[in-house]
Amino acid sequence: MKNVYPVFFTKTNENILVEVPDFSILTEGNDMNDAMEMARDAIELECVSMEDNNEKIPSPSNLKDLDITKGTFANDGETIVSFVDIDRLYIGKRLIQNS
């Protein structure tokens, strides 16, 4: 199952701060490419953990329901919203191959 989640990316002088509101995930990257990869990895790992615990994976938020001015890093730099896609079927296959 594929999903696309909205993610807040806040550019600071040093790096890109990342917030995934649907999962309460906070992470960071050295640049935008790294930040996108960190966001995707964090979402995928959270989904795996939630599935292992028989928890319901949240549906992606509607963009109009999000307010970047209330994000965790809103005062740390310029924030934009972008989308990060995940493929939960692919995640499961990758985990099985790596075990």
Side-chain angles (χ1 to χ4, degrees), residues 9 16 18 28-39:
F9 294 94
I16 307 288
V18 178
E28 63 184 70
N30 296 322
D31 55 32
M32 195 59 175
N33 287 333
D34 188 40
M36 290 284 270
E37 187 175 320
M38 296 298 288

Side-chain angles (χ1 to χ4, degrees), residues 9-23:
F9 294 94
T10 304
K11 183 172 178 24
T12 70
N13 291 331
E14 294 83 34
N15 56 11
I16 307 288
L17 303 174
V18 178
E19 179 178 3
V20 186
D22 291 316
F23 292 94

Side-chain angles (χ1 to χ4, degrees), residues 3-98:
N3 282 329
V4 178
Y5 288 94
V7 178
F8 296 171
F9 294 94
T10 304
K11 183 172 178 24
T12 70
N13 291 331
E14 294 83 34
N15 56 11
I16 307 288
L17 303 174
V18 178
E19 179 178 3
V20 186
D22 291 316
F23 292 94
S24 300
I25 290 171
L26 303 175
T27 187
E28 63 184 70
N30 296 322
D31 55 32
M32 195 59 175
N33 287 333
D34 188 40
M36 290 284 270
E37 187 175 320
M38 296 298 288
R40 183 174 290 112
D41 286 348
I43 295 168
E44 290 175 347
L45 288 171
E46 185 66 18
C47 286
V48 168
S49 177
M50 292 177 82
E51 287 176 344
D52 287 349
N53 293 321
N54 295 318
E55 297 175 36
K56 185 178 187 278
I57 307 274
S59 297
S61 291
N62 188 320
L63 188 56
K64 69 178 182 172
D65 296 332
L66 298 174
D67 182 356
I68 62 172
T69 65
K70 294 184 179 166
T72 301
F73 304 117
N75 295 321
D76 296 320
E78 181 182 350
T79 301
I80 64 163
V81 178
S82 187
F83 295 92
V84 174
D85 63 326
I86 64 159
D87 184 343
R88 290 181 16 219
L89 182 60
Y90 173 74
I91 299 164
K93 287 180 183 177
R94 188 175 67 198
L95 289 173
I96 290 169
Q97 289 173 349
N98 291 333

